[in-house]
Amino acid sequence: MRWTIVEVARLSGVTSRTLRHYDAIGLLPPAGVGANGYREYGRDELLRLQQVLVLRELGLPLGQIREVLDAQRDRVAALREHHGRLVAERDRLAAVAVTVARTIADLEHEGESTTMPIDRPENLFEGFDHSRYAEEARRRWPEEAASSERHASALSDEETEARQREWTAQMVRMAGLRAAGASPVDERVQAEVRAVYDWIISMWTPDAAAVKGLGGMYVDDARFAATFDRVSPGLGAFYRDAMAVFADAHLG
Amino acid sequence: MRWTIVEVARLSGVTSRTLRHYDAIGLLPPAGVGANGYREYGRDELLRLQQVLVLRELGLPLGQIREVLDAQRDRVAALREHHGRLVAERDRLAAVAVTVARTIADLEHEGESTTMPIDRPENLFEGFDHSRYAEEARRRWPEEAASSERHASALSDEETEARQREWTAQMVRMAGLRAAGASPVDERVQAEVRAVYDWIISMWTPDAAAVKGLGGMYVDDARFAATFDRVSPGLGAFYRDAMAVFADAHLG
DNA sequence: CTTGACGTTGCCGCCACGGCAACCTCTACC
DNA sequence: GGTAGAGGTTGCCGTGGCGGCAACGTCAAG
């Protein structure tokens, strides 16, 4: 069985342009080329394309996908490396998003003093030394994290670290607001408190009974049950059992 | 006072190559050009550069930075738009990171059956139709969200939606494990339950008294107090007061 | 025979620069 | 005044993953 480029495109969902690109960079050469110059793809190429798309979906650059598929590289190692990059980029974007949100709020509430006078030009760029802050945070927090009795066992290291960083940044912002003379009822202060509240919630630890009770509700409550059933009949009961196991193992 | 390109570079932290680039694309033309062809920058250019760097730090593309600074565009509107993109991209990366992590785990624990037999090639690409899934989720969830008593008032719409998406994906994965014959004590199932547990935690709602109590602890507990004091003396008490206000306003 | 769908190669563009080449200019020192 | 070294200039190529377009050949159906 042979397929033309557009047939493969329709099967896989990528464009024919992309398939030609993959040929051009040697990532997925066709099985052969007909007398008319048309590319011909076979079963093996479809399988390879599937693997390419899986890895591409995971965000791996095409060059690394080729290395992995040509077995010159360990898949797990490549993915682990990639995972680190993803998490770092995710955190960076999260931090930027927070800053942008705060900037928007500031701009909306700006009264008058947008332009502050500047005498020494080198002060213009004071805020841009990020590495210093990041190091500070890293130096300050590890011991605190170790000595605290926070119930972190259910969270991965990455998540824990991300929360710590959030928390530190939170305090710094709060200190800034206070220094600027804001009172506790100030809406910007309250916005920060709301963030603290979210954070508290995420640290709140329901006990074993509560988790089991929730699992039971997944079965007994018609609304919940219907939601699960739409995904897969009987899934609610499966959740209930699995949650009971988890509760016994981790929350005893 | 006039500065050469390298002096500006040293003041601001960007490279001279970047400054030339900004000139080339019309983002930051120098104040003038000397008889020797050297670019000369003045105070106004430093101020403009500072604004450029602020907006660039927020991730705004250079073209939009130019539009904003040339006042053809509303800053807040541009940032709001940008914020949406950031959050979407952050969520996408977070989702991909989770998938990559699970893939790594799968690859590490894979026993033997890596290559499953495939007869119908179109099935190879079944998992890739994301738009359909996304629509499904969007159609399914709004009512559920509206009718549920979940305490979502303290969360933004974006966060709520992200949680819902996580939750739906969770169920699909769980259904897949179950279909594959996994039992509730299976470690992959338990890993998913752990995710549910985290989700439950984040939905758990402490009442006003609990929030106030926690605020009080920020002052009474020496460990907490010390942490706050290192950031700013008396910050703990400030938190306590602000949290009491929040609790009264939102958790009464 | 025509039409329209599909195939090919090849080149430009995106975005924010980095790197290099080839060359000119300024300052300091011998 | 020669020279070294730091710094200035323009201009072109490369990055990643294709999309879009041009200009043209091929195939099946009516």
Side-chain angles (χ1 to χ4, degrees), chain B residues 4-6 17 20 37-39:
Chain B
T4 73
I5 200 169
V6 168
R17 184 71 189 76
R20 270 188 281 272
Y38 285 19
R39 288 173 180 79

Side-chain angles (χ1 to χ4, degrees), chain B residues 77-134:
Chain B
L79 284 179
R80 220 189 287 280
E81 209 173 278
H82 181 54
H83 184 255
R85 268 173 287 154
L86 280 173
V87 168
E89 183 65 7
R90 177 202 64 188
D91 289 348
R92 198 185 64 79
L93 285 179
V96 171
V98 168
T99 307
V100 170
R102 290 202 316 123
T103 305
I104 291 172
D106 286 353
L107 288 176
E108 281 176 337
H109 291 287
E110 83 183 347
E112 56 291 326
S113 61
T114 311
T115 55
M116 53 172 180
I118 293 150
D119 4 10
R120 287 169 306 165
E122 58 272 26
N123 289 349
L124 281 170
F125 304 98
E126 259 179 358
F128 288 99
D129 192 352
H130 299 290
S131 53
R132 204 181 9 150
Y133 178 8

Side-chain angles (χ1 to χ4, degrees), chain A residues 21 30 45 57 69 138 168-169 171 174 178 185 211 213 232 244:
Chain A
H21 182 57
E45 283 69 38
E57 195 71 8
L69 291 188
R138 240 175 281 131
T168 309
M171 285 197 296
M174 198 67 132
R178 182 156 162 267
V185 294
V211 169
S232 165

